[in-house]
Amino acid sequence: MHSRRGDALSAEDGPRVVVLAGGVGGAKFTLGVRAALGRRGAPEATVVVNTGDDLWLSGVRLQPDVDSITYALAGVNDTHRGWGRADDTERVNAELQEWGAGWPWFTLGDLDLGTHLARTGWLRDGLTPTQVLERMSRRWNLGARLLPMTDAEADTIVTVRDADGAERDLHFQEWWTRHRAALTPVRFDNPGIAAASPAPGVVEAIAAADVVLVAPSNPVVSIGPILAVPGMREALAAASAVVGVSPIIGGRVVRGMADVCLTAIGVETSAAAVAAHYGARSSGGLLDAWLIAEEDAAAAPDVDAAGIRSVVAPLWMTDVDASAAIVDAALAAAS
């Protein structure tokens, strides 16, 4: 670790924290970060959110991960489905389908669509995604600063192989939502990302942070696009400390189809394998320390052997208190 001061995480003003996050796991973890820092009287965290899931649909710009984290922090998310607004209706979505518009398998709730329309209008007016997210954040007291990973459009495209061996490209949302990741993925790409740059404020937040936390989000399609933004890995290499939380518990993914994504890039679905995939900062990778679940304690020596300090802790995010306890353990690992 490259801590600028030995007592960074016990300073009176509390640690300055940056979180890399996406998806439902990232939303739950961010709630824990807010709670843990609030109890310490620490400054609000900066959350760098994956925008690889973004897409244009029916003429509006959707940012699924941005919205999931925003809604969760605002307390208006649908906790049952894991996405969208609570108590939403779908009248507009039904009307779109009557017109044959949009995707019939991709539901847009009415309240959610209001968000997309507001966002699209501001983008058409010339605001950047960073400026749009800052404006969105004014509506609720989120208790965190949200930044997109980049202002560039770098939607995730999945190349799949059909039964006849032919390859074709799908937007990530079609592969994930319509096909439930059942089509064999060959690779994941973010066209245009090579020309992108971190959103304004991202590099500065990482440089000022006492610790960067990598949420237990999908390593391939949530964290992967963030790390692929040019300049992001360099900023993280110079950070004070980087601690990750495993999204794998007991050799299984907690939610979603991250195991399919990992298999596609040749990574085993295990806490140790994901740690090795991220790599140790001491050898040019990402991590200084890696939290693994109690169910995976036997993998600790393998994580340590990869040059990453293993920390065994309960990792089930059953509620905000449980998520905050995970964050406390991650902060302790950065000391």
Side-chain angles (χ1 to χ4, degrees):
M1 301 186 193
H2 312 290
S3 180
R4 288 183 291 269
R5 62 182 194 271
D7 61 346
L9 300 186
S10 60
E12 288 184 4
D13 60 349
R16 294 166 295 182
V17 175
V18 168
V19 183
L20 310 185
V24 176
K28 288 185 175 182
F29 186 73
T30 301
L31 288 172
V33 170
R34 182 177 65 180
L37 295 183
R39 293 165 187 170
R40 292 166 176 251
E44 293 181 348
T46 296
V47 185
V48 180
V49 186
N50 169 50
T51 56
D53 289 7
D54 296 5
L55 71 155
W56 286 98
L57 185 64
S58 296
V60 296
R61 187 64 172 168
L62 280 59
Q63 293 192 297
D65 281 5
V66 166
D67 292 342
S68 289
I69 293 176
T70 300
Y71 294 159
L73 290 171
V76 298
N77 59 316
D78 187 326
T79 57
H80 177 69
R81 293 190 301 183
W83 53 270
R85 294 280 295 274
D87 302 318
D88 209 346
T89 52
E90 299 173 2
R91 292 189 65 190
V92 175
N93 188 74
E95 183 67 7
L96 285 171
Q97 292 185 26
E98 289 294 328
W99 286 110
W103 289 334
W105 40 265
F106 195 93
T107 302
L108 297 175
D110 296 334
L111 295 174
D112 203 22
L113 187 56
T115 299
H116 307 325
L117 288 170
R119 173 188 295 118
T120 303
W122 291 329
L123 290 173
R124 297 295 191 196
D125 288 342
L127 271 65
T128 65
T130 297
Q131 292 169 332
V132 168
L133 185 48
E134 192 278 331
R135 183 172 290 188
M136 286 174 56
S137 298
R138 297 176 193 168
R139 179 174 177 181
W140 296 290
N141 181 19
L142 301 182
R145 178 192 184 201
L146 304 188
L147 293 174
M149 67 186 196
T150 181
D151 277 342
E153 291 186 12
D155 302 4
T156 298
I157 301 300
V158 186
T159 300
V160 301
R161 181 178 292 115
D162 291 327
D164 61 2
E167 294 184 1
R168 58 192 172 103
D169 293 341
L170 299 175
H171 190 282
F172 168 77
Q173 291 296 346
E174 183 171 6
W175 177 73
W176 188 262
T177 307
R178 180 182 187 183
H179 297 287
R180 305 300 297 169
L183 300 178
T184 303
V186 177
R187 60 184 170 272
F188 301 88
D189 297 302
N190 295 90
I193 203 165
S197 59
V202 169
V203 171
E204 294 81 359
I206 292 172
D210 297 308
V211 58
V212 176
L213 301 179
V214 182
S217 302
N218 188 313
V220 182
V221 296
S222 290
I223 303 299
I226 298 175
L227 300 178
V229 177
M232 196 73 74
R233 283 188 176 271
E234 291 79 0
L236 293 167
S240 290
V242 181
V243 178
V245 179
S246 174
I248 310 298
I249 297 180
R252 294 176 176 272
V253 296
V254 175
R255 182 185 176 90
M257 291 78 74
D259 51 343
V260 179
C261 301
L262 289 167
T263 298
I265 65 169
V267 177
E268 179 185 77
T269 303
S270 72
V274 173
H277 165 67
Y278 283 139
R281 271 212 304 167
S282 59
S283 56
L286 176 67
L287 301 171
D288 295 312
W290 183 239
L291 269 63
I292 61 176
E294 295 168 315
E295 295 88 334
D296 298 307
D302 293 332
V303 176
D304 294 330
I308 303 165
R309 183 156 64 89
S310 64
V311 177
V312 178
L315 293 190
W316 289 105
M317 295 188 291
T318 53
D319 54 30
V320 173
D321 286 340
S323 298
I326 296 169
V327 174
D328 286 336
L331 295 176
S335 299

